[in-house]
Amino acid sequence: MQKERRGVLFVKTQRKLNFYLRALWARDFFLRPTGADYTDFRPYIEHRIFHMPDAVDDLGDIPGLELYRATAAHMAAHLMYTRKALSAEQLSPAQLFFIGFMEDARVEYKATQAFPGLKTLWSRLLTANYDGAVEHPTMRLLENVALMLLDEQVTGKGDEAISAFVAKFHANIAEKQDDGQFSWLMGVELYNLFAGRREVPSLRILERIRIPYRDDNRYVWTMEEMTWDVGFEYVPASQRQVRRQVNVMMMANTVDCESAGDDAQEIWTCSTEMRPYEDDLTDNTKTFNEMWGKEPVSEPFHYHEWDYHIQLHRPDWVTVYERRQQRGEPDDIRAIIDAYRPVAHRIKQIIDLLTPDGVQRQRGLEDGDEIDINAAVDAMISIRMGEQPNPRITMRNVIKNRDLAVVVLLDLSQSTNEAMKGSDKTVLQLTREASTLVATAIEGIGDPYAIHGFASDGRHDVQYFRLKDFNQHFDDEAKSRLAGMKGGLSTRMGAALRHSAYHLHKQPERRKLILLVTDGEPADIDERDPQHLRFDAKKAVEELYSQGVQTYCLTLDPHADDYVKRIFGQNNYTVIDHVDRLPEQLPVLFASLTK
């Protein structure tokens, strides 16, 4: 059905439009297609996002791509040059139209001063020959006025009042080009000019003005649904919420509020745990925080992404949000430790081998820090006996420390909920068990380490979970996070690697290691090219290596040889053939990498 659509499709021109706007204003704009099958559709700006028709037809000899460019440039001019919303109080719908008409002229004047070529683009569309007669003669005159406001060389064709009005606009616009109130006053004056002639058509006719590249101007008015204090990209409600700490009485009086939801402007938290009423109490009753509480979401982290087609980074292309998954039962982690008691002896050997020895004395050195008395005596005896003495008569005290920080990065995508071939456990269960055992081993060694996980829902929402942080012991809090982790969504690996390195760089240790545990290749819902995220992950590994961060991949995918070697390198990955042995192999692998 998409192929059968007539005209120029938005999906085929969106990338060109993004490059076009970025070349003009050196910033990104967000464009979205909108169904435009009905006649009266007008493009519009909402939450700083351009909603454009999903397909347009050629206008005579003007191709549809030119119409898309004119529309995008006009809407971008609104976004760039509108500093303050106009007041719509005590104005009729017709007056609103005329004021918006003059605001269009003002922002177009600003744009053409910076980019003169836009005047040619918009003039072609204003002078195009449209089929069909107009419903009201004023509409043809308004179209000519729009052209006169854009190009002062165009005359009023004998209408002295209109010519005088346009001349006044051009005489004052240079000084008033940044003043939205100038558009308001000129719009009211233009309305009064037509109203004095009794030539103001109905709003239904006005809204059908034949200037196809202009939007509906909802952006310039103070409307209740408009949010002017948000940033360039629309920020979800969860990011704009304010969190307040309140006392028990305030929480008790508001705990049953039915109007509070994800879009609440304030989130109240109480340090005292509160439970339901006494007559509803049972042994398994949870607190209100446990039943209804939601973990806060971090501020966005923006990372670039490698585009192998153009061999350049896409700046600030991926957005990462740090989240915390719901807590589970710490007893589940203790049960894993008990179940792997037979493996505990092997883990104890790893701890003994890797535990730092502290201060060691190195003897038999030629350039040590101090004299070794015993070696010096032996050298003097050799000299008295006429023999050649041993010159290695000094020693040095050396501190043997493990200067290492580790992030165990877990893939928590939807595929981890599936049972692996040859095992009755899911990938998530095996990953949880392996993480528990490697955490037990590293905890005994004393290396600073963190256990993090990730999943993604497109490039705008890469979810990063900090199950255990560097400054946190493997206590009940960390165990409950590890027990409660769940799989879902996709695997945008490059962004997760870059964000884990962001936390690693905060550690003072000289050696840094990311140990990635995954069950598949990089993939996401908004990328159809399977090579794109593979090349980005490869580039991320190379970037981290240049920054002193080693990356090692432990994959459960039996077909991973096709891609994992190209991403991580010859000796930086292991494919687990027997998935049931993952909990045993992960601590051993950690020991071999960090000895």
Side-chain angles (χ1 to χ4, degrees), residues 120-277:
T120 303
L121 176 65
W122 289 327
S123 297
R124 289 189 64 193
L125 290 164
L126 289 173
T127 56
N129 294 321
Y130 301 105
D131 297 332
V134 293
E135 297 184 64
H136 196 282
T138 301
M139 302 310 295
R140 195 181 300 278
L141 181 57
L142 278 174
E143 294 165 8
N144 189 57
V145 170
L147 181 59
M148 294 168 63
L149 294 172
L150 179 64
D151 188 354
E152 58 184 341
Q153 302 299 326
V154 180
T155 62
K157 298 180 180 180
D159 195 326
E160 296 182 359
I162 293 295
S163 299
F165 174 82
V166 173
K168 180 181 179 180
F169 172 83
H170 286 295
N172 295 279
I173 185 60
E175 297 179 0
K176 305 288 187 178
Q177 56 181 320
D178 295 319
D179 186 7
Q181 190 65 20
F182 175 70
S183 300
W184 196 96
L185 295 173
M186 293 295 292
V188 173
E189 183 177 343
L190 183 62
Y191 168 78
N192 293 333
L193 177 61
F194 281 96
R197 300 177 175 184
R198 300 184 181 274
E199 294 179 357
V200 178
S202 65
L203 181 63
R204 179 186 63 82
I205 298 177
L206 286 173
E207 290 179 343
R208 294 184 179 181
I209 188 170
R210 296 179 304 180
I211 306 179
Y213 68 86
R214 288 186 177 178
D215 59 286
D216 63 359
N217 280 337
R218 70 178 66 178
Y219 183 76
V220 303
W221 298 106
T222 305
M223 300 295 183
E224 184 178 356
E225 65 271 18
M226 291 300 295
T227 306
W228 289 84
D229 58 345
V230 299
F232 166 66
E233 181 180 359
Y234 175 66
V235 181
S238 60
Q239 298 298 306
R240 299 198 309 272
Q241 290 171 341
V242 178
R243 303 182 69 85
R244 292 178 54 192
Q245 188 81 14
V246 299
N247 56 40
V248 177
M249 293 306 299
M250 292 180 65
M251 183 65 76
N253 293 331
T254 322
V255 74
D256 291 329
C257 177
E258 298 179 357
S259 61
D262 290 339
D263 58 347
Q265 295 181 349
E266 290 189 4
I267 298 295
W268 287 9
T269 60
C270 182
S271 57
T272 304
E273 292 285 1
M274 299 180 61
R275 299 180 182 274
Y277 298 109

Side-chain angles (χ1 to χ4, degrees), residues 60 78 146 476 551:
H78 272 304
D476 285 349
T551 306

Side-chain angles (χ1 to χ4, degrees), residues 395-444:
M395 63 182 181
R396 180 185 297 124
N397 294 326
V398 179
I399 300 177
K400 293 287 186 179
N401 285 335
R402 287 172 55 84
D403 195 15
L404 173 71
V406 184
V407 170
V408 181
L409 187 59
L410 309 178
D411 175 7
L412 301 180
S413 57
Q414 179 64 36
S415 58
T416 59
N417 295 322
E418 301 174 0
M420 292 296 296
K421 184 178 180 181
S423 174
D424 57 347
K425 298 179 180 179
T426 64
V427 176
L428 190 65
Q429 290 175 314
L430 293 171
T431 303
R432 183 183 291 112
E433 294 174 358
S435 304
T436 301
L437 296 183
V438 76
T440 304
I442 305 178
E443 192 79 12

Side-chain angles (χ1 to χ4, degrees), residues 401-577:
N401 285 335
R402 287 172 55 84
D403 195 15
L404 173 71
V406 184
V407 170
V408 181
L409 187 59
L410 309 178
D411 175 7
L412 301 180
S413 57
Q414 179 64 36
S415 58
T416 59
N417 295 322
E418 301 174 0
M420 292 296 296
K421 184 178 180 181
S423 174
D424 57 347
K425 298 179 180 179
T426 64
V427 176
L428 190 65
Q429 290 175 314
L430 293 171
T431 303
R432 183 183 291 112
E433 294 174 358
S435 304
T436 301
L437 296 183
V438 76
T440 304
I442 305 178
E443 192 79 12
I445 298 169
D447 291 336
Y449 73 102
I451 302 177
H452 295 169
F454 72 95
S456 63
D457 189 16
R459 68 183 181 92
H460 295 298
D461 187 14
V462 178
Q463 302 179 9
Y464 195 89
F465 306 100
R466 294 163 59 181
L467 307 172
K468 180 201 170 296
D469 288 325
F470 286 103
N471 58 354
Q472 180 183 12
H473 291 291
F474 196 49
D475 51 12
D476 285 349
E477 170 70 16
K479 291 177 181 177
S480 64
R481 298 288 183 186
L482 196 60
M485 69 180 187
K486 299 179 181 179
L489 306 177
S490 304
T491 313
R492 208 173 194 100
M493 193 176 292
L497 289 173
R498 292 183 178 96
H499 192 63
S500 60
Y502 164 79
H503 290 288
L504 265 178
H505 287 313
K506 295 181 179 180
Q507 297 302 117
E509 285 72 22
R510 181 177 58 86
R511 296 180 59 196
K512 296 176 174 62
L513 171 67
I514 298 176
L515 187 56
L516 174 65
V517 182
T518 182
D519 68 325
E521 62 181 319
D524 210 341
I525 59 172
D526 58 350
E527 285 296 340
R528 297 182 180 180
D529 184 1
Q531 297 296 328
H532 174 76
L533 293 180
R534 292 183 186 179
F535 277 98
D536 175 62
K538 180 178 183 295
K539 193 68 175 179
V541 171
E542 294 173 354
E543 293 170 5
L544 299 187
Y545 180 77
S546 66
Q547 299 167 7
V549 179
Q550 181 186 359
T551 306
Y552 196 95
C553 178
L554 190 67
T555 178
L556 308 179
D557 184 3
H559 306 292
D561 293 303
D562 297 337
Y563 59 87
V564 71
K565 179 179 177 180
R566 294 198 300 270
I567 294 177
F568 294 94
Q570 177 68 39
N571 301 317
N572 294 324
Y573 73 95
T574 298
V575 179
I576 302 296
D577 296 325

